[in-house]
């Protein structure tokens, strides 16, 4: 079998595996405990917090650990807007965000009377920053735009949107689950106020992620998980020491950064091959990360392929209650139902040279 689904989740790096096994064995005490072992774990956790902060140009006390990017997105969006209702009830996001963002927005619309503007992308899957800027109003409290789209690999114009948010004093949240460690992120340079990341997208363990919140102490945030005061009172629950230390090992490991060029080469070869056999590239041909390639092939049953092939990949669509639903992302870039049914998302890493056999 050949794994081509790295955008869905990644295996553990050897360095991560080693640290996880060690920590599960040795770091079993509660990191909030006052004794030596607890304090030693807590110190290591604080080091990871610092590593993550340094990797995005933030301060260590602006990082909160969560169970992953979904929870980070919940804390950022619900946590911020519900604590700042007086500032307005308008949110701007895009129509091709990860499902959890759309679900949060639908919840806020339905249960809390928020008005949400969903910006559609251009045909290539890239959002026009002007569209976002034009949607900004006096009562806009938050803009949430993903850095890299998980189905297409398109890179969104975060810097231009961040600048406009800064000028208009609107909070800016970015879901960076797909971009973190693939594209350099500096939260100051990009004017990002909140940033979500997840360990299992960067060869770390599942069940751990983080949210960066600018000026955490001065920012009103409502907790989503109330608890015993952990994480500045914003996210209750005993910190999962091994997962956090495994996350830290993944952040420190430079494999993703060092293999970018190789992945780019595989992506280029694949694009050429797909076009040679009469296929179409759904991903954009500018502003994309090479790790994600969405393609469409003639007379191709993607559902059947994904379910049965030894090439493990995803269809740009979701199954809900046994009905095959068309991917809303592919629909938003203008594909017909039939086109979407013959599209697959290949997500790559540096070890995927044998993917070219796919076309033999
Ligand atoms: C995977 C992913 C998520 C969800 O992350 P979890 O850590 O699994 O909760 C959110 N947003 C994007 C863009 C993703 O790719």
């Amino acid at each position: 079998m050949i794994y081509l689904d790295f955008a869905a989740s990644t295996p553990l790096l050897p360095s991560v595996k080693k640290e996880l096994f060690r920590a599960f064995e040795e770091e079993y005490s509660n990191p909030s405990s006052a004794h030596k072992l607890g304090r030693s774990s807590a110190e290591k956790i604080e080091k990871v917090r610092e590593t993550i902060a340094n990797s995005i140009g933030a301060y260590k006390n602006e990082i909160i650990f969560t169970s992953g990017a979904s929870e980070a997105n919940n804390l950022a969006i619900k946590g911020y807007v519900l604590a700042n209702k007086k500032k307005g009830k308008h949110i701007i996001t895009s129509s091709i965000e990860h499902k959890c963002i759309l679900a949060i927005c639908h919840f806020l619309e339905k249960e809390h009377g928020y008005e949400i503007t969903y910006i559609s992308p251009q045909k290539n899957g890239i959002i026009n920053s002007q569209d976002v800027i034009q949607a900004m109003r006096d009562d806009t409290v938050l803009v949430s735009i993903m850095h890299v789209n998980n189905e297409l690999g398109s890179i969104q114009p975060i810097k231009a949107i961040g600048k406009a948010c800064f000028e208009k004093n609107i909070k800016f949240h970015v879901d960076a689950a797909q971009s973190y460690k693939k594209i350099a992120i500096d939260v100051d340079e990009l004017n990002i106020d909140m940033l979500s990341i997840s360990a299992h997208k960067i060869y770390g363990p599942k069940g751990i992620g983080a949210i960066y919140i600018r000026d955490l102490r001065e920012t009103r945030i409502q907790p989503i998980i109330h608890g015993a005061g952990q994480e500045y009172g914003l996210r209750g629950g005993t910190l999962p020491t091994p997962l956090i230390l495994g996350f830290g090992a993944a952040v420190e490991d430079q494999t993703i950064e060092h293999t970018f060029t190789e992945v780019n080469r595989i992506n280029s070869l694949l694009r050429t091959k797909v076009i040679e056999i009469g296929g179409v590239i759904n991903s954009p041909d500018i502003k994309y990360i090479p790790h994600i390639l969405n393609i469409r092939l003639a007379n191709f049953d993607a559902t059947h392929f994904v379910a049965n092939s030894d090439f493990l990949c995803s269809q740009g669509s979701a199954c809900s209650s046994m009905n095959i639903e068309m991917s809303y992302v592919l629909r938003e870039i203008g594909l017909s139902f039939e086109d979407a049914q013959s599209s697959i998302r290949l997500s790559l890493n540096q070890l995927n040279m044998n993917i070219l056999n796919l076309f033999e």
Side-chain angles (χ1 to χ4, degrees):
M1 285 194 292
I2 298 178
Y3 190 75
L4 299 169
D5 205 19
F6 294 95
S9 199
T10 54
L12 300 172
L13 283 163
S15 61
V16 174
K17 207 180 290 180
K18 194 161 160 250
E19 177 59 2
L20 275 174
F21 284 150
R22 187 203 64 78
F24 270 117
E25 190 79 31
E26 298 173 13
E27 313 272 348
Y28 51 81
S29 81
N30 191 317
S32 298
S33 293
H35 52 65
K36 280 184 190 166
L37 191 54
R39 290 205 316 272
S40 152
S41 287
E43 266 169 36
K44 292 187 184 108
I45 287 172
E46 292 315 301
K47 275 224 179 78
V48 175
R49 212 188 288 280
E50 194 164 4
T51 303
I52 293 172
N54 287 340
S55 73
I56 56 170
Y59 296 105
K60 153 180 170 337
N61 56 8
E62 296 174 314
I63 305 293
I64 289 180
F65 290 109
T66 63
S67 62
S70 299
E71 189 191 325
N73 289 341
N74 272 270
L75 186 54
I77 302 180
K78 285 193 286 192
Y80 180 73
V81 304
L82 293 178
N84 293 276
K85 277 184 183 151
K86 284 195 195 111
K87 292 191 177 169
K89 291 185 108 180
H90 178 239
I91 297 169
I92 302 170
T93 187
S94 87
S95 59
I96 57 166
E97 294 299 303
H98 188 271
K99 241 182 264 151
C100 72
I101 300 271
L102 298 180
I104 295 163
C105 287
H106 292 153
F107 165 79
L108 289 170
E109 272 176 317
K110 210 163 153 266
E111 302 294 334
H112 293 275
Y114 279 80
E115 196 186 327
I116 321 272
T117 302
Y118 298 93
I119 305 294
S120 288
Q122 304 164 99
K123 287 269 180 268
N124 60 4
I126 297 171
I127 291 155
N128 184 343
S129 58
Q130 281 309 317
D131 291 348
V132 178
I133 293 165
Q134 271 159 24
M136 291 175 180
R137 317 191 310 212
D138 289 343
D139 62 340
T140 307
V141 274
L142 178 77
V143 173
S144 179
I145 299 287
M146 70 202 315
H147 198 179
V148 164
N149 181 269
N150 51 304
E151 287 192 32
L152 298 168
S154 47
I155 303 172
Q156 305 305 353
I158 295 306
K159 190 170 181 171
I161 298 169
K163 184 168 176 281
C165 286
F166 177 75
E167 285 163 4
K168 294 182 181 353
N169 198 20
I170 299 169
K171 286 278 178 208
F172 183 34
H173 168 252
V174 174
D175 178 349
Q178 292 293 346
S179 64
Y180 182 55
K181 283 183 68 77
K182 296 182 189 120
I183 304 174
I185 297 171
D186 182 305
V187 291
D188 285 345
E189 193 190 316
L190 300 175
N191 279 306
I192 294 168
D193 295 306
M194 297 186 275
L195 185 94
S196 305
I197 57 174
S198 176
H200 78 99
K201 300 290 173 75
I202 60 160
Y203 301 79
K206 291 166 188 52
I208 187 76
I211 179 84
Y212 153 76
I213 301 176
R214 181 183 295 280
D215 302 329
L216 183 58
R217 273 185 216 166
E218 286 90 59
T219 307
R220 285 168 61 91
I221 303 279
Q222 178 157 310
I224 304 300
I225 299 176
H226 298 261
Q230 296 95 344
E231 300 298 89
Y232 315 105
L234 285 179
R235 203 281 188 173
T238 302
L239 286 173
T241 313
L243 297 183
I244 292 172
L245 301 191
F247 189 7
V251 173
E252 276 179 4
D253 196 300
Q254 299 286 302
T255 305
I256 300 178
E257 288 89 332
H258 287 162
T259 53
F260 193 96
T261 315
E262 250 170 300
V263 178
N264 207 16
R265 201 166 71 84
I266 297 167
N267 183 296
S268 303
L269 286 169
L270 267 175
R271 283 175 181 252
T272 309
K273 205 82 177 175
V274 168
I275 289 163
E276 250 173 48
I277 62 167
V280 175
I281 309 291
N282 292 328
S283 292
D285 52 18
I286 50 159
K287 299 194 173 113
Y288 62 84
I289 57 162
H291 307 72
I292 299 178
L293 184 64
N294 201 307
I295 62 171
R296 184 157 99 228
L297 301 171
N299 304 315
F300 181 68
D301 182 347
T303 310
H304 182 81
F305 184 84
V306 167
N308 300 295
S309 173
D310 277 344
F311 292 96
L312 309 178
C313 58
S314 287
Q315 206 183 347
S317 71
C319 292
S320 66
S321 59
M322 305 302 280
N323 292 317
I324 306 288
E325 233 179 59
M326 178 176 168
S327 151
Y328 60 88
V329 175
L330 296 181
R331 188 182 62 221
E332 282 293 309
I333 60 164
L335 265 63
S336 68
F337 182 79
E338 288 72 26
D339 284 347
Q341 283 303 101
S342 54
S343 294
I344 48 171
R345 174 190 72 181
L346 309 173
S347 46
L348 316 167
N349 81 354
Q350 68 283 1
L351 305 171
N352 282 146
M353 271 319 281
N354 38 7
I355 191 205
L356 297 171
N357 300 335
L358 182 60
F359 300 99
E360 295 306 313

